[in-house]
């Protein structure tokens, strides 16, 4: 058996394995589009073919099967895709933002909030390896509490509660709101499944609720695309403390009414583009955020909004130029 046949055999075995895994995973997935889920899972599992392709490009270049230019092209392309599929999605960064509501009236002590969003547990993301990295890095930062700005899921499997069990290792309270993928926009109807998974793992859903702290109030705001982002009652609430608003979609900031103290909204949704490519990413982002939010801090008429790039993936199982990130918001 020559080397070429060995490569063909490896490609064939991996392809059959990938198709089988995609089909089996789809049968365990909460989805209303089985064929669509199967195609997405095919992209996820067949991406393992990139490894033998990467090795084959080297062999083909040295043996003359490919021209030098062809070998370099295939090698570089497969290297890029391997990085975006297998490396960057697990390169969880930690970034810190320092924020003050009123520099003339600083807090008695700084408050550290760990912000994560868009875990998208399901087809591509949120597997045990990545969740363990996220939990460990959050604990290293010793935040006062953690907020999750929605999109927990991306057509998850039935065992969602078990997959989230590792979050019980986070050494701080966890507050959460849901996002469009959790609200059937465009995800499947998994509200009961998610609600149970969060409850048994001690994650507090604060949608339409207020959590009072000594120097500020944390307000959970429902998802914009689901029509649940109602903040008309905020001016009627006591205005003696500033508000931190937790809402999945940063475009919700335009609905914030004028308040005594300019509030800070914490959001996700955009993934920071997820795959950073010239022109194409900006075109897609116009559909994700009408107001042009991508990542970082933005100022609007009645509020500031900070947008995290999140940790998971949708559409394609790649991250490129936008590593998953935990944002520490230090308010003083």
């Amino acid at each position: 058996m020559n080397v070429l046949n060995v490569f063909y055999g490896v490609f064939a075995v991996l392809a059959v394995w990938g198709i089988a895994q995609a089909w089996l995973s789809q049968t365990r997935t909460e989805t209303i589009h089985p064929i669509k889920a199967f195609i997405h899972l095919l992209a996820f599992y067949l991406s393992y073919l990139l490894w033998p392709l990467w090795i084959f490009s080297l062999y083909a270049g040295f043996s003359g099967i490919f021209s030098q230019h062809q070998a370099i092209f295939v090698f570089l392309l497969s290297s890029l895709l391997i990085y975006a599929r297998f490396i960057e999605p697990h390169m969880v960064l930690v970034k810190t933002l320092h924020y003050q509501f009123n520099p003339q009236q600083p807090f008695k002590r700084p408050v550290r909030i760990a912000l994560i969003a868009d875990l998208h547990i399901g087809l591509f993301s949120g597997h045990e390896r990545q969740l363990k990295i996220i939990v460990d890095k959050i604990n290293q930062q010793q935040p006062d509490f953690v907020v999750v700005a929605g999109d927990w899921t991306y057509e998850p499997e039935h065992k969602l509660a078990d997959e989230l069990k590792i979050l019980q290792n986070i050494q701080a309270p966890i507050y959460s709101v849901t996002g469009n993928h959790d609200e059937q926009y465009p995800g499947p109807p998994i509200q009961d499944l998610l609600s149970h998974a969060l409850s048994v793992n001690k994650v507090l859903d604060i949608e339409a609720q207020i959590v009072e702290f000594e120097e500020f109030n944390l307000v959970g705001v429902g998802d914009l695309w689901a029509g649940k982002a109602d903040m008309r009652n905020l001016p009627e609430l006591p205005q003696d403390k500033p508000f931190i608003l937790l809402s999945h979609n940063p475009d919700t900031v335009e609905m914030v009414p004028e308040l005594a103290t300019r509030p800070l909204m914490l959001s996700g949704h955009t993934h920071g583009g997820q795959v950073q490519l010239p022109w194409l990413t900006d075109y897609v982002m116009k559909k994700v955020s009408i107001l042009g939010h991508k990542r970082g801090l933005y100022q609007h008429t009645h509020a500031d909004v900070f947008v995290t790039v999140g940790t998971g993936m949708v559409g394609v199982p790649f991250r490129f130029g936008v590593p998953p990130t935990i944002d520490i918001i230090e308010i003083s």
Side-chain angles (χ1 to χ4, degrees), residues 13 50 52 59 87 91 144 147 182-183 191 201-202 206 216 237 251 270 273 316-317 328 331:
V13 169
L50 291 167
Y59 170 76
I87 299 175
M91 293 172 53
D144 292 286
V147 292
D182 308 320
E183 293 278 4
Q191 289 85 355
N201 289 297
K202 302 178 182 178
I206 63 167
F216 63 90
L237 300 175
D251 286 0
T270 68
V316 292
I328 303 298
I331 303 178

Side-chain angles (χ1 to χ4, degrees), residues 53 56-72 74:
L53 178 63
F56 179 73
S57 68
L58 296 174
Y59 170 76
F62 283 112
S63 64
I65 297 174
F66 288 169
S67 69
Q68 187 176 17
H69 289 95
Q70 289 173 328
I72 291 173
V74 175

